[in-house]
Amino acid sequence: MSRLHVVSGKGGTGKTTVAAALALALATEGRRTLLVEVEGRQGIAQLFETEALPYEERKIAVGPASEGAAPWGSGAPSAGDPARGGGGRRAGGEVHALAIDAERALLDYLQMFYKLGSAGRALKKLGAIDFATTIAPGLRDVLLTGKACEAVRRKDKNGRFVYDAVVMDAPPTGRITRFLNVNDEVAGLAKIGPIHNQAQAVMRVLKSPETAVHLVTLLEEMPVQETADGVEELRAAGIPVGGIVINMTRPALLDNGDLDIAARDARGGVAKALSQAGLGGARRGGLAERLIDPLLEQAREHAERVELERAEHAELTALGLPTYELELLPEGVDLAGLYHLARDLRKQGPI
């Protein structure tokens, strides 16, 4: 199963929230998840109600306990890890987080391949790093994706993967394919040497079954269209697409029969129902009569929204990908809400 989960979505769809909930959902039964931020917004820190993330991997949460649920992530439990075995209620794992800084990542890269040491720090003072990322804009994306893929491949001294899953809160859908595919371009430009080898290593991860790109959307026309375009672009680039997460779904308040009544503007039936409910007589000018227009207007708006959402849902289903739904939290997403969404994802998993 996938070990690198890339989460993208049109702005305003809640992709950072979904990425955080997914990291929590994956961190069960003793598993370790790394949640990576690449846009420098510190959105992860805000969601987990913690201080700004530094350029280092830091534990920020413990995953929810599971009631014997099938694990997500990278397969069978590691040997010698009691938290991952047995039945009944199983302890949650750990969520670590990292805010990747392109400048620091470049210094790491220079040290790793060229052993520059203090010379790298001198380059920073001279502004050479800003210069490099300015003249080669794609270099920034290479550094960000490379750091995440390094975490995917990293093993401990016993040869086990340090993280069972890495979740990346990635750029929006409109530029996700270019962001992930930039290493292919770099590998083509640099025919030999460490840059070429690094870019190829990153693309081997990004285009392998270890990776899945999940797209977050709302049941609205523009996000759904951008999702469909994103799926097409990712498939054309050979990058594995995972699932579609429909975020902020709202319940249908009326059943199909009531929706039909709203659509037909059935005033007489509504007046009679209000009267039977004790809200005044059904006579003209009575209380029930005065309530009809505002109630029907709200019902019509609700019926139109439900019809639109059903049509958009059908568009997403036609893409042939697994879909997951997360409800709208009326009070907004706090830490408790994040755990609630994580549990909802687990119930619909695996993702």
Side-chain angles (χ1 to χ4, degrees):
M1 295 179 68
S2 303
R3 298 189 62 252
L4 174 60
H5 298 262
V6 180
V7 179
S8 181
K10 180 177 170 57
T13 59
K15 71 176 179 65
T16 298
T17 297
V18 172
L22 177 57
L24 277 172
L26 291 165
T28 56
E29 301 171 14
R31 284 170 163 74
R32 286 164 55 92
T33 301
L34 178 64
L35 178 57
V36 175
E37 181 176 79
V38 299
E39 294 185 281
R41 296 184 294 106
Q42 290 293 336
I44 292 172
Q46 295 174 32
L47 279 171
F48 284 93
E49 301 174 8
T50 186
E51 60 189 27
L53 297 174
Y55 181 66
E56 63 183 35
E57 292 159 27
R58 170 181 292 179
K59 179 180 174 181
I60 61 170
V62 175
S66 67
E67 300 287 355
W72 293 11
S74 58
S78 301
D81 192 342
R84 303 187 187 192
R89 189 171 179 82
R90 302 174 185 176
E94 297 179 352
V95 177
H96 294 245
L98 169 67
I100 302 179
D101 176 82
E103 185 177 83
R104 294 285 299 277
L106 180 55
L107 289 176
D108 286 351
Y109 180 88
L110 294 173
Q111 173 61 23
M112 183 183 303
F113 291 108
Y114 297 102
K115 310 299 181 187
L116 290 185
S118 58
R121 291 188 291 274
L123 286 173
K124 178 181 178 181
K125 292 180 180 179
L126 291 171
I129 292 172
D130 288 337
F131 177 71
T133 54
T134 299
I135 63 171
L139 177 60
R140 178 183 179 85
D141 292 348
V142 168
L143 296 168
L144 297 174
T145 54
K147 188 68 177 177
C149 289
E150 181 276 325
V152 172
R153 300 190 304 263
R154 193 189 314 156
K155 295 183 178 181
D156 61 20
K157 60 183 180 181
N158 297 316
R160 297 182 300 189
F161 287 111
V162 173
Y163 293 107
D164 295 283
V166 175
V167 179
M168 181 195 295
D169 178 20
T173 315
R175 64 187 189 92
I176 185 62
T177 303
R178 177 64 187 270
F179 172 76
L180 295 175
N181 210 37
V182 70
N183 287 276
D184 242 1
E185 299 177 15
V186 170
L189 292 172
K191 299 296 184 182
I192 58 173
I195 294 178
H196 174 82
N197 295 336
Q198 167 74 357
Q200 282 197 320
V202 170
M203 289 314 301
R204 279 195 295 271
V205 173
L206 294 178
K207 292 191 173 183
S208 78
E210 287 186 305
T211 296
V213 182
H214 310 294
L215 301 178
V216 182
T217 187
L218 306 178
L219 288 176
E220 298 173 4
E221 184 177 0
M222 289 184 64
V224 168
Q225 184 59 55
E226 191 163 311
T227 298
D229 293 343
V231 169
E232 182 179 356
E233 292 172 4
L234 288 164
R235 285 172 169 167
I239 298 173
V241 185
I244 295 172
V245 180
I246 303 172
N247 198 22
M248 303 186 215
T249 63
R250 293 171 288 185
L253 302 177
L254 303 175
D255 61 26
N256 288 335
D258 291 330
L259 289 173
D260 289 340
I261 291 175
R264 294 197 308 269
D265 195 8
R267 300 178 60 85
V270 174
K272 182 177 180 180
L274 290 173
S275 178
Q276 290 173 344
L279 294 175
R283 66 185 183 282
R284 184 174 299 277
L287 176 59
E289 174 75 19
R290 295 196 301 274
L291 290 172
I292 290 176
D293 286 337
L295 284 175
L296 281 177
E297 179 61 26
Q298 290 186 38
R300 279 193 297 271
E301 290 177 359
H302 179 73
E304 290 171 2
R305 177 177 67 80
V306 170
E307 183 179 359
L308 171 64
E309 289 181 350
R310 286 175 177 172
E312 299 301 335
H313 200 288
E315 292 283 337
L316 294 171
T317 302
L319 296 174
L321 294 168
T323 58
Y324 310 85
E325 298 189 18
L326 293 176
E327 65 181 307
L328 173 68
L329 300 181
E331 303 301 321
V333 182
D334 56 10
L335 193 54
L338 204 56
Y339 275 85
H340 175 84
L341 296 177
R343 292 188 180 94
D344 276 358
L345 274 177
R346 277 195 57 80
K347 291 176 184 177
Q348 300 175 66
I351 188 170

